């Protein structure tokens, strides 16, 4: 059948065809039907098709960058990286993490085989370099990150120390000649580490104070320690934070505030439409039950509480502790406190006047666009990470020059307080920033509603469903209803990190159900499931081409996924038409 022989289809038949055809069939119709341009101009048809096919709430407006509903529907079905084009098998054990360079020309992978591999991202991806970290007594590599100018690679792993004790270590590798420049201890190992700028990276250390009380210290390290240590400072303490109830700081990352006012994609529909409603309103995209629609849940980050004494006196904390101990001895504390409760209470009283208060007015403004936030998982009730801490990094803290060990603080300011805290009410298993650093995406497995934690060493059971939350770092509020499609099965004490990634339009995550998942950020809908043979630990979008996605799995492979559109372009041919639901269309040749 020639294109010129394709008949003009009645609108009613077209409408029914496009309501029920799958993606490939829609493409087939577009390739054989001469009247396609007329169909594409039918905004009502494509709007209805998008709402019905993807089950999107009709209150959701069109994507702000789309000029038509047809273009938006085309974006959703034709630009999702869901076609497997290559499988990389060079690792011989579980692949744990993937990261792209900022140019997109390279990416790195970490694995239980204790290597970090660097790949050329070409049409056919090839291995460029592999470093075996067993030479440095590592057990495995777990995380990597390119610095902002793609000259250095941070690699984080688990280090085997004396008497087989395990801790973390960070290595810095030059991408010019793949030499190892420096190594920094990192404790606990799941702090991972991250770059603050081109030459300085953040690591952690943990000091035990009691049975369930500790102190996390975050350090700024110069990447060129072996070269510069004789002449300049190469390390400086950033923050020292008290941990209660067996919690610790983990998973550090840095958010740059400079693009908050010009984000790639605003997730607040009312802000998109410039409506008269209050900006930055927390909203729900719609829900599966009427009860949820009546009152959508809202998580608002609590304002930090200054830990100073009411009257400003320096002896209040000691007086309070003495009074508390007297009350215990005289039986005035009821009910009787457990040993862990007693330790936590004493630690809180001791730290009350020894904690530097949070910085005031830390929300980004026009005058403070150069500020950066340090973001990390933490907690206050149990050892499993259930809160996100946010601490502003001031300009003088962004270099190792100056005071080395925090001498700038007063002698009575032993700890730093957090500027903001997000309570997730569940076990956090993944975090990722949008490319503009405006939004924070968080994977978590929720606790039962109204659960009570009486023993910090016995956290509540966690759900198999993974919730994907979204927080606006400019307003410090949660936006959109949490996404749900992916699942995890390991219990609290075996729970591990599942890395997610965010592009301009999409968000992707691994899962324990042997799939990777892709959602649309604007419509809040799941678009694709990507098959593996085991747990998917990490995903990564190309920073310059969101139609390219990598997934890493316990099945030892890295899979490369491209969109149907780019596959057609690369193959330089049109796809063959697949069967149509309505045979009537193809029978019109007579």
């Amino acid at each position: 059948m020639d294109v010129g022989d394709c008949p003009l289809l009645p609108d009613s038949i077209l409408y029914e065809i496009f309501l029920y055809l799958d993606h490939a069939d829609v493409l087939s119709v577009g390739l054989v039907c001469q009247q396609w341009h007329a169909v594409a101009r039918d905004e009502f048809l494509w709007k209805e098709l998008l709402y019905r096919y993807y089950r999107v709430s009709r209150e959701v407006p069109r994507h702000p960058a789309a000029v038509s509903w047809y273009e938006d529907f085309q974006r959703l079905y034709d630009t999702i990286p869901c076609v497997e084009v290559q499988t990389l098998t060079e690792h011989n054990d579980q692949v744990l993490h993937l990261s792209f360079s900022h140019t997109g020309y390279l990416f790195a992978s970490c694995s239980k085989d204790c290597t970090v591999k660097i790949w050329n991202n070409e049409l056919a991806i090839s291995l460029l370099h592999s470093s075996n970290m067993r030479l440095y007594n590592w057990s495995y590599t777990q995380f990597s990150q390119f610095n902002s100018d793609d000259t250095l690679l941070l690699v984080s792993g688990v280090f085997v120390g004396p008497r087989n004790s395990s801790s973390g270590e960070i290595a810095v590798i030059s991408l010019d000649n793949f030499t190892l420049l420096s190594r920094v201890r990192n404790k606990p190992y799941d702090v991972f580490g991250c770059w603050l700028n081109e030459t300085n990276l953040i690591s952690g250390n943990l000091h035990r104070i009691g049975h369930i009380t500790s102190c996390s210290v975050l350090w700024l390290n110069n990447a060129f320690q072996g070269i510069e240590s004789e002449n300049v400072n190469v390390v400086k303490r950033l923050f020292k934070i008290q941990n209660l109830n067996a919690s610790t700081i983990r998973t550090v990352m840095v958010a740059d505030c400079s693009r908050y006012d010009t984000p790639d994609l605003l997730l607040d529909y009312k802000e998109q439409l410039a409506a008269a409603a209050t900006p930055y309103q927390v909203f729900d995209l719609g829900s599966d039950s009427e009860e949820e629609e009546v009152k959508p849940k809202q998580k608002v980050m609590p304002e930090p509480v200054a830990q100073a004494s009411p009257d400003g006196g320096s002896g209040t904390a000691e007086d309070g502790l003495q009074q508390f101990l007297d009350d215990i001895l005289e039986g005035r504390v009821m009910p009787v406190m457990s040993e862990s409760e007693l330790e936590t209470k004493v630690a809180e009283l001791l730290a009350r006047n020894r904690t530097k208060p949070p910085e005031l007015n830390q929300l980004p403004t026009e005058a403070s666009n150069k500020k950066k936030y340090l973001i990390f998982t933490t907690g206050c009730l149990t050892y499993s990470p259930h809160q996100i801490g946010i601490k502003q990094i001031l300009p003088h803290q962004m270099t190792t020059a100056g005071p080395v060990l925090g001498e700038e603080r007063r002698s009575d300011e032993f700890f730093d307080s957090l500027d903001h805290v997000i309570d997730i009410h569940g076990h956090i298993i993944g975090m990722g920033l949008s490319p503009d650093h405006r939004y924070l995406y968080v994977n978590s497995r929720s606790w039962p509603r109204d659960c009570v934690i009486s023993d910090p060493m016995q956290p509540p059971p966690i759900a198999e469903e993974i919730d994907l939350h979204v927080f606006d770092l400019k307003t410090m509020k949660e936006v959109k209803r949490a996404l749900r499609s992916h699942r995890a099965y390991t219990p609290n004490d075996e729970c591990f990190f599942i890395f997610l990634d965010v592009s301009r339009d999409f968000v992707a995550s691994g899962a324990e159900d042997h799939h990777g998942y892709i959602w649309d950020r604007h419509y809040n809908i799941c678009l694709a499931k990507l098959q593996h043979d085991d747990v998917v630990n990490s995903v990564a979008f190309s920073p310059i081409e969101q139609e390219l996605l990598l997934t890493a799995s316990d099945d030892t492979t890295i899979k490369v996924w491209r969109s149907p559109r780019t596959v057609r372009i690369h193959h330089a041919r049109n796809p063959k038409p697949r069967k149509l639901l309505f045979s009537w269309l193809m029978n019109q040749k007579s």
Side-chain angles (χ1 to χ4, degrees), residues 9-64:
L9 304 180
D11 287 347
S12 58
I13 295 178
L14 275 174
Y15 179 76
E16 291 298 322
I17 289 175
F18 293 128
L19 279 183
Y20 296 104
L21 293 183
D22 65 19
H23 295 165
D25 294 331
V26 173
L27 276 175
S28 303
V29 173
L31 294 166
V32 302
C33 183
Q34 190 179 34
Q35 307 302 323
W36 183 248
H37 292 295
V39 172
R41 288 195 297 268
D42 191 336
E43 281 289 273
F44 175 76
L45 184 150
W46 291 105
K47 182 178 180 179
E48 289 296 313
L49 176 57
L50 190 147
Y51 281 147
R52 292 198 185 191
Y53 190 91
Y54 291 105
R55 299 177 182 177
V56 175
S57 167
R58 293 180 180 274
E59 297 179 358
V60 180
R62 193 175 65 203
H63 189 288

Side-chain angles (χ1 to χ4, degrees), residues 63 65 75 79 259 263-267 433-436 439 441 501-507 519-522 541-547:
H63 189 288
R75 177 183 69 85
T79 67
R259 293 191 57 200
D264 295 326
L265 176 67
L266 283 171
L267 297 185
L433 289 164
S434 60
D436 52 28
Y439 299 98
Y441 286 74
D501 196 23
V502 189
S503 70
R504 184 187 68 247
D505 293 320
F506 309 127
V507 55
W519 294 265
D520 184 71
R521 294 178 61 198
H522 174 73
F541 286 102
S542 166
I544 59 171
E545 182 188 3
Q546 67 173 355
E547 296 179 45

Side-chain angles (χ1 to χ4, degrees), residues 192-383:
F192 295 120
C194 66
W195 290 104
L196 176 61
N197 48 41
E198 291 86 348
T199 58
N200 293 295
L201 60 102
I202 296 173
S203 66
N205 201 357
L206 183 67
H207 303 279
R208 295 291 176 186
I209 299 175
H211 177 60
I212 58 171
T213 307
S214 64
C215 170
S216 288
V217 181
L218 297 172
W219 295 90
L220 185 64
N221 308 268
N222 191 294
F224 301 95
Q225 293 192 13
I227 301 172
E228 300 183 356
S229 58
E230 295 183 2
N231 304 312
V232 298
N233 294 334
V234 295
V235 63
K236 181 167 74 173
R237 190 175 77 188
L238 282 178
F239 305 115
K240 188 174 184 179
I241 298 171
Q242 184 188 50
N243 303 313
L244 301 175
N245 289 318
S247 64
T248 60
I249 286 178
R250 316 178 192 188
T251 318
V252 298
M253 60 177 58
V254 173
D256 187 343
C257 307
S258 61
R259 293 191 57 200
Y260 280 7
D261 293 325
T262 57
D264 295 326
L265 176 67
L266 283 171
L267 297 185
D268 189 322
Y269 302 139
K270 291 182 173 62
E271 194 173 359
Q272 287 178 10
L273 299 174
T278 304
Y280 318 130
Q281 177 178 347
V282 177
F283 61 91
D284 195 343
L285 180 61
S287 55
D288 298 329
S289 67
E290 295 182 358
E291 181 180 355
E292 289 182 351
E293 290 178 355
V294 172
K295 188 176 181 180
K297 294 181 180 179
Q298 174 178 341
K299 286 186 179 69
V300 179
M301 302 178 195
E303 291 299 319
V305 178
Q307 298 177 347
S309 59
D311 57 2
S314 60
T316 302
E318 288 76 5
D319 295 342
L321 177 59
Q322 185 61 53
Q323 182 63 51
F324 174 67
L325 295 176
D326 291 342
D327 290 342
I328 291 177
L329 293 174
E330 296 178 16
R332 293 194 294 266
V333 176
M334 298 297 291
V336 177
M337 303 177 73
S338 66
E339 183 178 339
S340 60
E341 290 172 332
L342 179 60
E343 180 180 327
T344 298
K345 183 65 176 179
V346 170
E348 288 177 333
L349 288 171
L350 283 173
R352 182 169 295 172
N353 271 1
R354 292 176 171 83
T355 300
K356 185 179 180 180
E359 303 290 339
L360 300 178
N361 301 321
Q362 294 306 312
L363 289 180
T365 63
E366 292 184 4
S368 59
N369 277 342
K370 294 183 179 180
K371 292 192 301 189
K372 294 183 178 181
Y373 282 143
L374 182 65
I375 301 173
F376 46 85
T377 63
T378 182
C380 63
L381 302 175
T382 180
Y383 68 81

